[in-house]
Amino acid sequence: MEKYKHKYGAEQIQVLEGLEAVRKRPGMYIGSTSVRGLHHCVYEIVDNGVDEALAGYCTEINVVIEKGNVISVTDNGRGIPVEIHPKTHISTAETVYTVLHAGGKFGGDSGYKVSGGLHGVGASVVNALSTWTEVTIKRDGGLYQMYFEKGKTVKKLERIGDAEGTGTKVRFLADDTIFESLDYEYETLEKRMREMAFLTKGLKITLEDQREETPKKVEFCYEGGLISFVEFLNKNKEKLHKTPIYIEKSGEIPVEIAIQYTTSYSENIHTFVNNINTIEGGTHLEGFKRALTKVFNDYARSHNILKEKDNNLQGEDIREGITAVVSVKVKEPQFEGQTKTKLGNSEVTGVVQSMVNEALSTFLEENPNVAKAILEKCISASRAREAARKARELVRKKNALETSTLPGKLADCSSKVADECEVYIVEGDSAGGSAKQGRDRKFQAILPLWGKMLNVEKARADKIYGNDKLNPVILAIGAGIGADFDITKIRYGKVIIMADADVDGAHIRTLLLTFFFRYMRPLIENGNVYLAQPPLYKISKKGMEDIYCYSDEELDQKYKELEEKGILREQLGLQRYKGLGEMNPEQLWDTTMNPETRILVKVTMEDAMKADEIFTLLMGDEVEPRREFIQANAKYVKNLDI
Ligand code: 0R9
């Protein structure tokens, strides 16, 4: 390449080859071409505006989903530089949009951006993957514009008029021959924009959806930054102290942390590196946890809250009920883990640990009442952990004495190959009976549940071991719970909740899902949890095979189809199923259990933050927000039989 260094033509070829490579292997640059990759394109462009805000020149970013799935992002920063770039001999703005990774190389580098993103690829990749891209810049009193198709320059940057103020506006239509779909999910974008606003104190971000008749619009701006983030996460929880603890440190690796304890029993820590959510944690989380454990133990010892004879509090005791957001900026982050969302840079652990050590111990000394409230909770968590250990041992010993460790009510399957086996957790003894008779006993096991299930949102682990409703579930699945849970030990590849389509059924489903979410989370993350979908209706007629419908829409559709064949509604019998118990074994097999014909809904964990929020809301202590949620969502409820 050296001999072509100053030859415009050769560089042009290199540029086109670069963007062609992006179009050939989009997954390598944006992870995937699914809706996730599609959203990623929006984030890449918004990130450029956020970088300008972090540099101190931009206060507002507006994102619009226009009709026809065009995305428009506008910022009020300095505007991308327009002058000819000495190396590429084209405008800097065009360079940014046509040369891979140019954003960082050619200036505008906030220091954290280039390798910061999950993929960190920037504007040129979005341009390459778009049917068209239009960039408009206000700078030095002029209005400039350029236009691209599939990454290729169609109109070079030119001054098209005068302008007041400064800023950049990017509009693009993602290429539908590359992406599986162009259906942007408003809620996904909303969540990310809110998150970006929390992480960038004082930046105003608006999101507007113009695709529907009545456009939707939200605005996010948080002067409190991470403090507001933690308050938002805790909005439905009872707090142990009024204001979140806030720690900030600038320097080579800037760190910002907000912490607030609640009365809940779960741990809710979110970590970010260069504004990217590191859902798998990593070295920053490690440093944070170590410091937390040390500071609280030291404080408890020095203030005689822990006596000489007492054992140290364990990390899990100290993290019970915590909500925290940890945000670090790292110049060259190394991402590891299955989804490349785990920070690997070892130097970060010590930095976070020592700054939390120092700032948190000072905070506790200055706020003894907060320290006392938190430590009281930690100590009762440690007592409960000890009680849970004893309960667990007891259960283990009891099981060891019994010939079989499986629960008595379980009708197990004959296969022992977990991958091909499934267990139906069935509400009620009578449905359980039908399921037992109707199943294929080679690979289907049935576990009937009855009576009132324990709400784990309001109970600690010690109440869970030995609980007569949950213990059979734990034993049947066979992989333990909590920190002991071992996904490699699960006895069934599919854990299927089969409950009635009524209020009681919904309650049981929520209680079981809360239990799985809090105590067997990998089971959900791994995609092993399913909801069975029993039919709501049966249409019958003499001489005709029964037809089952799973929704009101399907019922209407079937009536229409039959009418076209000359069979009228009046000639048909209709049964509305109130519960699983109304079906005989054969019907239950045909409609809900036969893998060839049944409908199963896989429970996914796309959004742990949202899940935590909803589980807390539905199953926790605060009554008022729950009522508001139910009132607001009542209109979405279908098939509710009261
Ligand atoms: C709507 C999305 N916003 C952007 O894409 C965007 C990029 C960008 C930018 C600069 C300012 N605003 C921006 N918005 C900028 C300007 C200057 C220096 N660095 C950055 C300056 O005025 O000197 N740029 C991002 C990369 C580049 N500009 C660069 F490489 F062209 F310099």
Side-chain angles (χ1 to χ4, degrees):
M1 267 316 125
E2 197 57 23
K3 63 180 175 180
Y4 295 123
K5 209 171 177 182
H6 298 294
K7 287 188 183 163
Y8 182 86
E11 266 157 3
Q12 191 80 6
I13 291 166
Q14 204 185 342
V15 163
L16 293 178
E17 278 173 357
L19 294 194
E20 206 40 55
V22 177
R23 289 182 64 82
K24 273 203 187 112
R25 297 197 175 175
M28 267 186 54
Y29 297 86
I30 48 157
S32 80
T33 53
S34 66
V35 72
R36 203 172 165 170
L38 182 75
H39 290 138
H40 194 82
C41 290
V42 184
Y43 306 157
E44 281 295 340
I45 302 297
V46 173
D47 279 357
N48 292 337
V50 172
D51 272 2
E52 184 66 354
L54 289 172
Y57 299 102
C58 162
T59 56
E60 188 167 338
I61 297 175
N62 310 108
V63 183
V64 182
I65 317 168
E66 297 180 6
K67 279 201 162 73
N69 291 319
V70 170
I71 294 290
S72 153
V73 184
T74 311
D75 72 49
N76 66 349
R78 289 167 291 177
I80 307 180
V82 293
E83 66 277 355
I84 296 292
H85 196 277
K87 272 200 187 138
T88 59
H89 312 294
I90 54 175
S91 67
T92 306
E94 188 180 343
T95 308
V96 170
Y97 271 78
T98 53
V99 180
L100 271 181
H101 301 291
K105 273 193 231 158
F106 295 94
D109 180 8
S110 62
Y112 302 108
K113 167 71 185 173
V114 197
S115 44
L118 252 192
H119 310 286
V121 288
S124 58
V125 168
V126 177
N127 189 22
L129 301 177
S130 295
T131 304
W132 58 262
T133 309
E134 177 197 270
V135 182
T136 314
I137 298 162
K138 289 198 276 182
R139 204 176 153 103
D140 305 329
L143 188 68
Y144 298 82
Q145 200 168 59
M146 56 185 178
Y147 187 81
F148 308 89
E149 281 174 7
K150 297 182 180 173
K152 292 186 182 137
T153 310
V154 172
K155 270 191 215 147
K156 291 182 84 65
L157 187 77
E158 63 169 325
R159 185 175 167 136
I160 55 168
D162 297 337
E164 266 178 36
T166 58
T168 305
K169 178 175 188 170
V170 179
R171 292 176 70 239
F172 66 93
L173 174 66
D175 192 334
D176 62 357
T177 63
I178 288 189
F179 291 97
E180 287 163 23
S181 121
L182 298 191
D183 289 334
Y184 292 96
E185 289 163 10
Y186 179 78
E187 290 206 338
T188 307
L189 294 180
E190 181 188 22
K191 177 182 167 274
R192 177 67 182 154
M193 295 310 122
R194 181 192 293 116
E195 201 171 273
M196 286 307 262
F198 279 131
L199 293 164
T200 323
K201 215 183 284 187
L203 172 66
K204 178 167 147 186
I205 304 184
T206 65
L207 171 68
E208 190 175 349
D209 188 349
Q210 297 178 340
R211 290 171 299 180
E212 302 286 319
E213 274 299 291
T214 35
K216 280 186 264 193
K217 189 167 178 180
V218 276
E219 179 183 315
F220 304 114
C221 183
Y222 304 101
E223 292 303 333
L226 294 196
I227 295 182
S228 311
F229 201 166
V230 162
E231 284 172 341
F232 171 81
L233 293 168
N234 279 349
K235 66 179 182 296
N236 298 322
K237 298 183 183 178
E238 198 182 314
K239 285 74 131 168
L240 281 193
H241 50 108
K242 202 162 169 270
T243 335
I245 304 166
Y246 181 69
I247 309 173
E248 189 183 14
K249 187 191 139 291
S250 51
E252 186 60 14
I253 302 179
V255 185
E256 212 191 326
I257 297 174
I259 309 165
Q260 190 177 35
Y261 278 84
T262 70
T263 57
S264 101
Y265 300 132
S266 48
E267 176 183 326
N268 194 12
I269 306 177
H270 302 277
T271 59
F272 294 84
V273 175
N274 303 350
N275 286 356
I276 292 141
N277 193 346
T278 33
I279 44 181
E280 293 174 282
T283 49
H284 49 341
L285 179 61
E286 196 48 47
F288 176 64
K289 284 182 176 177
R290 280 188 204 167
L292 214 58
T293 309
K294 178 167 168 37
V295 170
F296 277 106
N297 271 304
D298 286 356
Y299 184 93
R301 293 257 171 234
S302 62
H303 291 75
N304 220 18
I305 299 170
L306 276 183
K307 309 280 179 312
E308 218 168 287
K309 63 174 177 35
D310 293 327
N311 285 331
N312 260 0
L313 295 165
Q314 292 197 358
E316 60 188 277
D317 306 330
I318 291 165
R319 296 192 301 273
E320 189 190 274
I322 194 174
T323 301
V325 179
V326 177
S327 169
V328 301
K329 299 271 162 55
V330 181
K331 288 225 166 85
E332 283 183 32
Q334 259 115 49
F335 290 105
E336 302 171 345
Q338 259 188 346
T339 53
K340 291 270 174 281
T341 55
K342 183 174 181 185
L343 184 67
N345 303 55
S346 54
E347 70 278 14
V348 178
T349 309
V351 172
V352 175
Q353 194 176 344
S354 64
M355 80 91 99
V356 176
N357 267 343
E358 198 185 313
L360 190 59
S361 22
T362 310
F363 175 90
L364 296 183
E365 291 300 343
E366 288 171 1
N367 297 273
N369 289 342
V370 178
K372 188 167 167 267
I374 297 173
L375 273 163
E376 268 171 14
K377 177 153 164 81
C378 297
I379 286 166
S380 79
S382 102
R383 288 199 187 114
R385 177 174 49 76
E386 193 47 31
R389 190 185 61 76
K390 285 188 183 140
R392 193 167 56 213
E393 305 266 283
L394 213 71
V395 170
R396 278 194 195 141
K397 268 191 203 139
K398 196 169 150 250
N399 290 336
L401 293 176
E402 286 166 5
T403 45
S404 146
T405 55
L406 291 175
K409 286 257 178 191
L410 176 78
D412 207 6
C413 51
S414 56
S415 167
K416 296 289 167 250
V417 183
D419 269 355
E420 67 178 31
C421 296
E422 39 193 58
V423 60
Y424 276 81
I425 303 180
V426 186
E427 173 198 3
D429 266 348
S430 87
S434 292
K436 273 181 198 173
Q437 288 175 48
R439 68 180 171 144
D440 182 333
R441 62 181 59 237
K442 180 167 180 291
F443 69 97
Q444 292 180 318
I446 308 295
L447 180 65
L449 288 186
W450 72 104
K452 200 166 175 293
M453 280 274 297
L454 181 73
N455 179 0
V456 299
E457 203 63 30
K458 293 183 182 166
R460 277 198 176 112
D462 56 322
K463 297 281 177 302
I464 284 152
Y465 288 105
N467 175 274
D468 62 341
K469 303 292 182 293
L470 288 174
N471 208 30
V473 179
I474 301 168
L475 292 178
I477 293 174
I481 60 168
D484 293 341
F485 184 80
D486 180 354
I487 191 92
T488 63
K489 292 207 177 124
I490 53 171
R491 301 180 59 253
Y492 309 97
K494 290 193 175 75
V495 175
I496 305 167
I497 304 173
M498 185 156 78
D500 290 339
D502 61 7
V503 186
D504 291 340
H507 196 203
I508 291 220
R509 255 193 308 276
T510 314
L511 288 166
L512 270 173
L513 286 176
T514 311
F515 171 61
F516 290 146
F517 179 75
R518 295 282 182 226
Y519 289 92
M520 296 190 186
R521 195 170 296 186
L523 201 65
I524 302 184
E525 285 166 341
N526 203 42
N528 300 102
V529 181
Y530 293 82
L531 303 176
Q533 300 290 292
L536 285 178
Y537 301 102
K538 181 175 82 175
I539 306 176
S540 54
K541 186 176 180 299
K542 235 189 175 160
M544 185 182 88
E545 213 169 285
D546 292 343
I547 300 173
Y548 296 99
C549 300
Y550 295 81
S551 65
D552 288 313
E553 292 77 30
E554 200 183 345
L555 179 69
D556 287 342
Q557 181 62 30
K558 281 279 162 351
Y559 273 145
K560 267 194 208 130
E561 284 172 22
L562 290 169
E563 230 171 78
E564 279 162 18
K565 291 184 203 154
I567 307 170
L568 299 177
R569 226 174 252 228
E570 298 75 52
Q571 299 169 271
L572 298 163
L574 177 70
Q575 184 179 356
R576 171 135 173 50
Y577 287 116
K578 288 228 166 60
L580 294 160
E582 289 177 21
M583 268 181 267
N584 64 37
E586 197 190 327
Q587 286 173 331
L588 202 56
W589 165 256
D590 283 343
T591 62
T592 320
M593 299 179 73
N594 179 356
E596 303 285 316
T597 50
R598 72 184 175 193
I599 300 174
L600 286 186
V601 175
K602 192 186 224 170
V603 177
T604 60
M605 270 263 327
E606 277 289 30
D607 185 354
M609 221 185 285
K610 192 84 198 154
D612 180 78
E613 192 189 322
I614 291 179
F615 280 124
T616 310
L617 188 77
L618 290 177
M619 310 309 283
D621 286 321
E622 303 273 301
V623 178
E624 191 49 34
R626 175 162 48 239
R627 213 189 42 202
E628 281 168 18
F629 177 86
I630 291 169
Q631 279 172 354
N633 288 280
K635 57 178 180 283
Y636 302 118
V637 175
K638 278 187 179 175
N639 309 330
L640 193 69
D641 219 340
I642 308 185

